[in-house]
PDB file of all heavy atoms in Angstrom:
ATOM      1  N   SER A   1       0.830  -1.214   0.000  1.00 98.00           N
ATOM      2  CA  SER A   1       0.000   0.000   0.000  1.00 98.00           C
ATOM      3  C   SER A   1       0.857   1.254   0.000  1.00 98.00           C
ATOM      4  O   SER A   1       0.561   2.226  -0.704  1.00 98.00           O
ATOM      5  CB  SER A   1      -0.941  -0.011   1.206  1.00 98.00           C
ATOM      6  OG  SER A   1      -0.237   0.082   2.421  1.00 98.00           O
ATOM      7  N   GLN A   2       1.938   1.253   0.769  1.00 98.00           N
ATOM      8  CA  GLN A   2       2.815   2.422   0.837  1.00 98.00           C
ATOM      9  C   GLN A   2       3.518   2.686  -0.484  1.00 98.00           C
ATOM     10  O   GLN A   2       3.708   3.839  -0.884  1.00 98.00           O
ATOM     11  CB  GLN A   2       3.837   2.235   1.957  1.00 98.00           C
ATOM     12  CG  GLN A   2       3.236   2.304   3.358  1.00 98.00           C
ATOM     13  CD  GLN A   2       4.251   2.026   4.447  1.00 98.00           C
ATOM     14  OE1 GLN A   2       5.450   2.001   4.203  1.00 98.00           O
ATOM     15  NE2 GLN A   2       3.778   1.797   5.661  1.00 98.00           N
ATOM     16  N   ALA A   3       3.873   1.631  -1.181  1.00 98.00           N
ATOM     17  CA  ALA A   3       4.544   1.788  -2.470  1.00 98.00           C
ATOM     18  C   ALA A   3       3.646   2.462  -3.496  1.00 98.00           C
ATOM     19  O   ALA A   3       4.133   3.123  -4.419  1.00 98.00           O
ATOM     20  CB  ALA A   3       5.003   0.429  -2.991  1.00 98.00           C
ATOM     21  N   SER A   4       2.338   2.317  -3.316  1.00 98.00           N
ATOM     22  CA  SER A   4       1.374   2.924  -4.244  1.00 98.00           C
ATOM     23  C   SER A   4       0.681   4.136  -3.636  1.00 98.00           C
ATOM     24  O   SER A   4      -0.264   4.670  -4.235  1.00 98.00           O
ATOM     25  CB  SER A   4       0.324   1.883  -4.659  1.00 98.00           C
ATOM     26  OG  SER A   4       0.922   0.792  -5.319  1.00 98.00           O
ATOM     27  N   ASN A   5       1.116   4.565  -2.452  1.00 98.00           N
ATOM     28  CA  ASN A   5       0.529   5.712  -1.764  1.00 98.00           C
ATOM     29  C   ASN A   5      -0.970   5.524  -1.548  1.00 98.00           C
ATOM     30  O   ASN A   5      -1.777   6.419  -1.785  1.00 98.00           O
ATOM     31  CB  ASN A   5       0.786   7.005  -2.562  1.00 98.00           C
ATOM     32  CG  ASN A   5       0.529   8.249  -1.734  1.00 98.00           C
ATOM     33  OD1 ASN A   5       0.685   8.239  -0.508  1.00 98.00           O
ATOM     34  ND2 ASN A   5       0.129   9.324  -2.393  1.00 98.00           N
ATOM     35  N   VAL A   6      -1.320   4.330  -1.074  1.00 98.00           N
ATOM     36  CA  VAL A   6      -2.712   3.973  -0.810  1.00 98.00           C
ATOM     37  C   VAL A   6      -2.871   3.719   0.689  1.00 98.00           C
ATOM     38  O   VAL A   6      -2.006   3.109   1.321  1.00 98.00           O
ATOM     39  CB  VAL A   6      -3.114   2.705  -1.599  1.00 98.00           C
ATOM     40  CG1 VAL A   6      -4.536   2.285  -1.254  1.00 98.00           C
ATOM     41  CG2 VAL A   6      -2.976   2.947  -3.093  1.00 98.00           C
ATOM     42  N   LEU A   7      -3.971   4.165   1.264  1.00 98.00           N
ATOM     43  CA  LEU A   7      -4.221   3.968   2.690  1.00 98.00           C
ATOM     44  C   LEU A   7      -4.655   2.526   2.966  1.00 98.00           C
ATOM     45  O   LEU A   7      -5.432   1.943   2.197  1.00 98.00           O
ATOM     46  CB  LEU A   7      -5.302   4.925   3.183  1.00 98.00           C
ATOM     47  CG  LEU A   7      -4.948   6.417   3.173  1.00 98.00           C
ATOM     48  CD1 LEU A   7      -6.180   7.248   3.529  1.00 98.00           C
ATOM     49  CD2 LEU A   7      -3.808   6.709   4.148  1.00 98.00           C
ATOM     50  N   LEU A   8      -4.161   1.974   4.062  1.00 98.00           N
ATOM     51  CA  LEU A   8      -4.511   0.615   4.481  1.00 98.00           C
ATOM     52  C   LEU A   8      -5.349   0.686   5.746  1.00 98.00           C
ATOM     53  O   LEU A   8      -4.892   1.172   6.787  1.00 98.00           O
ATOM     54  CB  LEU A   8      -3.245  -0.200   4.728  1.00 98.00           C
ATOM     55  CG  LEU A   8      -3.430  -1.605   5.338  1.00 98.00           C
ATOM     56  CD1 LEU A   8      -4.320  -2.472   4.450  1.00 98.00           C
ATOM     57  CD2 LEU A   8      -2.075  -2.272   5.571  1.00 98.00           C
ATOM     58  N   ALA A   9      -6.590   0.203   5.658  1.00 98.00           N
ATOM     59  CA  ALA A   9      -7.519   0.219   6.795  1.00 98.00           C
ATOM     60  C   ALA A   9      -7.823  -1.204   7.228  1.00 98.00           C
ATOM     61  O   ALA A   9      -8.241  -2.034   6.415  1.00 98.00           O
ATOM     62  CB  ALA A   9      -8.811   0.942   6.423  1.00 98.00           C
ATOM     63  N   VAL A  10      -7.634  -1.482   8.516  1.00 98.00           N
ATOM     64  CA  VAL A  10      -7.818  -2.828   9.055  1.00 98.00           C
ATOM     65  C   VAL A  10      -8.899  -2.816  10.131  1.00 98.00           C
ATOM     66  O   VAL A  10      -8.809  -2.065  11.107  1.00 98.00           O
ATOM     67  CB  VAL A  10      -6.500  -3.369   9.656  1.00 98.00           C
ATOM     68  CG1 VAL A  10      -6.731  -4.737  10.301  1.00 98.00           C
ATOM     69  CG2 VAL A  10      -5.423  -3.464   8.581  1.00 98.00           C
ATOM     70  N   ASP A  11      -9.912  -3.639   9.945  1.00 98.00           N
ATOM     71  CA  ASP A  11     -10.929  -3.854  10.972  1.00 98.00           C
ATOM     72  C   ASP A  11     -10.339  -4.819  11.999  1.00 98.00           C
ATOM     73  O   ASP A  11     -10.032  -5.967  11.681  1.00 98.00           O
ATOM     74  CB  ASP A  11     -12.177  -4.449  10.323  1.00 98.00           C
ATOM     75  CG  ASP A  11     -13.351  -4.588  11.290  1.00 98.00           C
ATOM     76  OD1 ASP A  11     -13.101  -4.843  12.485  1.00 98.00           O
ATOM     77  OD2 ASP A  11     -14.503  -4.479  10.848  1.00 98.00           O
ATOM     78  N   ASN A  12     -10.189  -4.350  13.244  1.00 98.00           N
ATOM     79  CA  ASN A  12      -9.531  -5.119  14.296  1.00 98.00           C
ATOM     80  C   ASN A  12     -10.518  -5.576  15.367  1.00 98.00           C
ATOM     81  O   ASN A  12     -10.120  -5.894  16.490  1.00 98.00           O
ATOM     82  CB  ASN A  12      -8.420  -4.277  14.943  1.00 98.00           C
ATOM     83  CG  ASN A  12      -7.419  -5.099  15.736  1.00 98.00           C
ATOM     84  OD1 ASN A  12      -7.164  -6.254  15.430  1.00 98.00           O
ATOM     85  ND2 ASN A  12      -6.840  -4.498  16.758  1.00 98.00           N
ATOM     86  N   ALA A  13     -11.813  -5.631  15.012  1.00 97.00           N
ATOM     87  CA  ALA A  13     -12.834  -5.919  16.014  1.00 97.00           C
ATOM     88  C   ALA A  13     -12.732  -7.329  16.582  1.00 97.00           C
ATOM     89  O   ALA A  13     -13.055  -7.555  17.750  1.00 97.00           O
ATOM     90  CB  ALA A  13     -14.229  -5.709  15.422  1.00 97.00           C
ATOM     91  N   ILE A  14     -12.270  -8.292  15.788  1.00 97.00           N
ATOM     92  CA  ILE A  14     -12.250  -9.679  16.236  1.00 97.00           C
ATOM     93  C   ILE A  14     -11.175  -9.926  17.295  1.00 97.00           C
ATOM     94  O   ILE A  14     -11.365 -10.726  18.218  1.00 97.00           O
ATOM     95  CB  ILE A  14     -12.049 -10.631  15.039  1.00 97.00           C
ATOM     96  CG1 ILE A  14     -13.224 -10.503  14.052  1.00 97.00           C
ATOM     97  CG2 ILE A  14     -11.906 -12.076  15.494  1.00 97.00           C
ATOM     98  CD1 ILE A  14     -14.572 -10.842  14.644  1.00 97.00           C
ATOM     99  N   LEU A  15     -10.036  -9.240  17.197  1.00 98.00           N
ATOM    100  CA  LEU A  15      -8.945  -9.463  18.154  1.00 98.00           C
ATOM    101  C   LEU A  15      -8.786  -8.343  19.166  1.00 98.00           C
ATOM    102  O   LEU A  15      -8.343  -8.593  20.290  1.00 98.00           O
ATOM    103  CB  LEU A  15      -7.626  -9.674  17.411  1.00 98.00           C
ATOM    104  CG  LEU A  15      -7.492 -10.969  16.614  1.00 98.00           C
ATOM    105  CD1 LEU A  15      -6.104 -11.071  15.999  1.00 98.00           C
ATOM    106  CD2 LEU A  15      -7.763 -12.191  17.478  1.00 98.00           C
ATOM    107  N   THR A  16      -9.119  -7.119  18.789  1.00 98.00           N
ATOM    108  CA  THR A  16      -8.920  -5.923  19.623  1.00 98.00           C
ATOM    109  C   THR A  16      -7.429  -5.659  19.836  1.00 98.00           C
ATOM    110  O   THR A  16      -6.603  -6.536  19.571  1.00 98.00           O
ATOM    111  CB  THR A  16      -9.606  -6.036  21.008  1.00 98.00           C
ATOM    112  OG1 THR A  16      -8.806  -6.823  21.896  1.00 98.00           O
ATOM    113  CG2 THR A  16     -10.999  -6.617  20.899  1.00 98.00           C
ATOM    114  N   PRO A  17      -7.071  -4.485  20.359  1.00 98.00           N
ATOM    115  CA  PRO A  17      -5.642  -4.216  20.602  1.00 98.00           C
ATOM    116  C   PRO A  17      -5.023  -5.116  21.657  1.00 98.00           C
ATOM    117  O   PRO A  17      -3.796  -5.144  21.796  1.00 98.00           O
ATOM    118  CB  PRO A  17      -5.643  -2.746  21.049  1.00 98.00           C
ATOM    119  CG  PRO A  17      -7.024  -2.486  21.536  1.00 98.00           C
ATOM    120  CD  PRO A  17      -7.908  -3.320  20.666  1.00 98.00           C
ATOM    121  N   ALA A  18      -5.829  -5.855  22.393  1.00 98.00           N
ATOM    122  CA  ALA A  18      -5.274  -6.780  23.385  1.00 98.00           C
ATOM    123  C   ALA A  18      -4.510  -7.919  22.721  1.00 98.00           C
ATOM    124  O   ALA A  18      -3.582  -8.479  23.318  1.00 98.00           O
ATOM    125  CB  ALA A  18      -6.386  -7.341  24.266  1.00 98.00           C
ATOM    126  N   LEU A  19      -4.881  -8.260  21.475  1.00 98.00           N
ATOM    127  CA  LEU A  19      -4.255  -9.395  20.792  1.00 98.00           C
ATOM    128  C   LEU A  19      -3.577  -9.020  19.482  1.00 98.00           C
ATOM    129  O   LEU A  19      -2.827  -9.834  18.928  1.00 98.00           O
ATOM    130  CB  LEU A  19      -5.299 -10.484  20.516  1.00 98.00           C
ATOM    131  CG  LEU A  19      -6.018 -11.083  21.733  1.00 98.00           C
ATOM    132  CD1 LEU A  19      -6.994 -12.157  21.294  1.00 98.00           C
ATOM    133  CD2 LEU A  19      -5.028 -11.647  22.733  1.00 98.00           C
ATOM    134  N   GLN A  20      -3.819  -7.815  18.969  1.00 98.00           N
ATOM    135  CA  GLN A  20      -3.221  -7.426  17.687  1.00 98.00           C
ATOM    136  C   GLN A  20      -3.177  -5.908  17.564  1.00 98.00           C
ATOM    137  O   GLN A  20      -4.142  -5.234  17.925  1.00 98.00           O
ATOM    138  CB  GLN A  20      -4.028  -8.018  16.519  1.00 98.00           C
ATOM    139  CG  GLN A  20      -3.530  -7.644  15.136  1.00 98.00           C
ATOM    140  CD  GLN A  20      -4.288  -8.373  14.037  1.00 98.00           C
ATOM    141  OE1 GLN A  20      -3.842  -9.378  13.511  1.00 98.00           O
ATOM    142  NE2 GLN A  20      -5.480  -7.875  13.696  1.00 98.00           N
ATOM    143  N   ASN A  21      -2.076  -5.388  17.039  1.00 98.00           N
ATOM    144  CA  ASN A  21      -1.921  -3.943  16.834  1.00 98.00           C
ATOM    145  C   ASN A  21      -1.572  -3.653  15.380  1.00 98.00           C
ATOM    146  O   ASN A  21      -0.399  -3.585  15.009  1.00 98.00           O
ATOM    147  CB  ASN A  21      -0.836  -3.378  17.753  1.00 98.00           C
ATOM    148  CG  ASN A  21      -1.238  -3.440  19.212  1.00 98.00           C
ATOM    149  OD1 ASN A  21      -0.756  -4.284  19.958  1.00 98.00           O
ATOM    150  ND2 ASN A  21      -2.143  -2.575  19.621  1.00 98.00           N
ATOM    151  N   PRO A  22      -2.577  -3.478  14.527  1.00 98.00           N
ATOM    152  CA  PRO A  22      -2.326  -3.256  13.104  1.00 98.00           C
ATOM    153  C   PRO A  22      -1.466  -2.037  12.797  1.00 98.00           C
ATOM    154  O   PRO A  22      -0.682  -2.063  11.833  1.00 98.00           O
ATOM    155  CB  PRO A  22      -3.741  -3.087  12.525  1.00 98.00           C
ATOM    156  CG  PRO A  22      -4.607  -3.865  13.459  1.00 98.00           C
ATOM    157  CD  PRO A  22      -4.016  -3.629  14.814  1.00 98.00           C
ATOM    158  N   ILE A  23      -1.590  -0.970  13.578  1.00 98.00           N
ATOM    159  CA  ILE A  23      -0.792   0.235  13.311  1.00 98.00           C
ATOM    160  C   ILE A  23       0.691  -0.063  13.488  1.00 98.00           C
ATOM    161  O   ILE A  23       1.530   0.387  12.702  1.00 98.00           O
ATOM    162  CB  ILE A  23      -1.259   1.390  14.212  1.00 98.00           C
ATOM    163  CG1 ILE A  23      -2.627   1.889  13.720  1.00 98.00           C
ATOM    164  CG2 ILE A  23      -0.249   2.539  14.208  1.00 98.00           C
ATOM    165  CD1 ILE A  23      -3.238   2.976  14.563  1.00 98.00           C
ATOM    166  N   ALA A  24       1.036  -0.840  14.499  1.00 98.00           N
ATOM    167  CA  ALA A  24       2.440  -1.214  14.705  1.00 98.00           C
ATOM    168  C   ALA A  24       2.959  -2.066  13.562  1.00 98.00           C
ATOM    169  O   ALA A  24       4.180  -2.114  13.308  1.00 98.00           O
ATOM    170  CB  ALA A  24       2.587  -1.967  16.024  1.00 98.00           C
ATOM    171  N   LEU A  25       2.045  -2.724  12.832  1.00 98.00           N
ATOM    172  CA  LEU A  25       2.422  -3.566  11.703  1.00 98.00           C
ATOM    173  C   LEU A  25       2.397  -2.815  10.378  1.00 98.00           C
ATOM    174  O   LEU A  25       2.699  -3.395   9.336  1.00 98.00           O
ATOM    175  CB  LEU A  25       1.487  -4.778  11.628  1.00 98.00           C
ATOM    176  CG  LEU A  25       1.565  -5.741  12.819  1.00 98.00           C
ATOM    177  CD1 LEU A  25       0.399  -6.719  12.795  1.00 98.00           C
ATOM    178  CD2 LEU A  25       2.885  -6.492  12.808  1.00 98.00           C
ATOM    179  N   GLY A  26       2.017  -1.523  10.423  1.00 98.00           N
ATOM    180  CA  GLY A  26       2.062  -0.706   9.226  1.00 98.00           C
ATOM    181  C   GLY A  26       0.740  -0.215   8.692  1.00 98.00           C
ATOM    182  O   GLY A  26       0.701   0.498   7.686  1.00 98.00           O
ATOM    183  N   ALA A  27      -0.369  -0.566   9.330  1.00 98.00           N
ATOM    184  CA  ALA A  27      -1.670  -0.074   8.872  1.00 98.00           C
ATOM    185  C   ALA A  27      -1.792   1.418   9.137  1.00 98.00           C
ATOM    186  O   ALA A  27      -1.246   1.938  10.116  1.00 98.00           O
ATOM    187  CB  ALA A  27      -2.797  -0.824   9.565  1.00 98.00           C
ATOM    188  N   ASP A  28      -2.524   2.114   8.284  1.00 98.00           N
ATOM    189  CA  ASP A  28      -2.771   3.546   8.472  1.00 98.00           C
ATOM    190  C   ASP A  28      -3.983   3.804   9.348  1.00 98.00           C
ATOM    191  O   ASP A  28      -4.044   4.810  10.052  1.00 98.00           O
ATOM    192  CB  ASP A  28      -2.994   4.215   7.106  1.00 98.00           C
ATOM    193  CG  ASP A  28      -1.812   4.067   6.182  1.00 98.00           C
ATOM    194  OD1 ASP A  28      -0.766   4.677   6.452  1.00 98.00           O
ATOM    195  OD2 ASP A  28      -1.923   3.315   5.186  1.00 98.00           O
ATOM    196  N   ILE A  29      -4.947   2.903   9.273  1.00 98.00           N
ATOM    197  CA  ILE A  29      -6.235   3.104   9.942  1.00 98.00           C
ATOM    198  C   ILE A  29      -6.659   1.805  10.608  1.00 98.00           C
ATOM    199  O   ILE A  29      -6.498   0.720  10.036  1.00 98.00           O
ATOM    200  CB  ILE A  29      -7.317   3.517   8.918  1.00 98.00           C
ATOM    201  CG1 ILE A  29      -6.917   4.807   8.195  1.00 98.00           C
ATOM    202  CG2 ILE A  29      -8.680   3.675   9.595  1.00 98.00           C
ATOM    203  CD1 ILE A  29      -7.633   4.997   6.872  1.00 98.00           C
TER     204      ILE A  29
END
């Protein structure tokens, strides 16, 4: 997504930040 200047949005409702942090992995949203 970054190579194409496109925003990456991740729905994290199933795991929540207690089990997964998409922003730390590179997600924008």
Side-chain angles (χ1 to χ4, degrees):
S1 66
Q2 290 176 13
S4 299
N5 195 29
V6 176
L7 293 173
L8 173 59
V10 176
D11 186 327
N12 197 30
I14 298 300
L15 291 183
T16 80
L19 300 181
Q20 178 174 262
N21 293 105
I23 288 177
L25 296 167
D28 300 291
I29 301 159

